[in-house]
Amino acid sequence: MFSVIHSGGGQKAHPPYYLKGVFQITSYVIFAIILCLSLLASAWDLKTYRIPNWLTFGAILVGLSVNIVFYGLDGLANSFGGLLLGGVVMFPFFWLGGMGGGDVKLAAAFGALGGLYFTINTLLWGSLIGGIASLI
């Protein structure tokens, strides 16, 4: 669902038939973690105007760990790519004063949990929805 792992030749790598259910369950677990992280970070941010480091760095550690355990080195590369993309794309907005550092770390945590392609989709959809909301 989230972690799209590619093998050589641009083909999707499929888990062995006996692990197929594990990989599907892992995607739902990652989705549940992302949902809980979103709700917790939103509530914390609304109350204190801060997103704590233990929450963002903890989520980054969980994201890297879950992806390496279930998807191996390909999962680690995918997770690390999402982490970097989420942080790098959001950093200029922090640098220009448009958002806080916790928001950047939270985007990186979402990237570590969901992987590279999840991060690309999330950033594109977030930009589109944010642009439409700014017009309303």
Side-chain angles (χ1 to χ4, degrees):
M1 185 165 160
F2 292 112
S3 295
V4 179
I5 302 170
H6 291 280
S7 62
Q11 299 173 350
K12 251 190 198 179
H14 297 287
Y17 70 92
Y18 55 87
L19 289 178
K20 191 170 185 173
V22 173
F23 283 85
Q24 290 171 345
I25 291 170
T26 305
S27 295
Y28 293 121
V29 168
I30 291 172
F31 176 74
I33 293 170
I34 290 172
L35 183 62
C36 291
L37 177 63
S38 301
L39 294 173
L40 185 58
S42 297
W44 203 287
D45 195 18
L46 285 171
K47 185 175 181 180
T48 65
Y49 297 101
R50 295 180 50 91
I51 301 173
N53 287 336
W54 62 264
L55 183 63
T56 54
F57 289 129
I60 289 170
L61 183 62
V62 167
L64 292 171
S65 300
V66 166
N67 279 295
I68 196 168
V69 165
F70 287 102
Y71 300 107
L73 291 179
D74 286 338
L76 178 63
N78 187 29
S79 183
F80 195 69
L83 171 101
L84 286 177
L85 181 66
V88 167
V89 167
M90 300 304 261
F91 184 77
F93 299 107
F94 164 71
W95 192 52
L96 294 171
M99 66 175 48
D103 299 317
V104 176
K105 291 180 281 188
L106 187 63
F110 287 148
L113 284 161
L116 183 61
Y117 299 105
F118 172 79
T119 307
I120 292 169
N121 287 328
T122 302
L123 291 171
L124 290 175
W125 278 105
S127 299
L128 179 67
I129 293 169
I132 290 171
S134 71
L135 295 174
I136 298 175

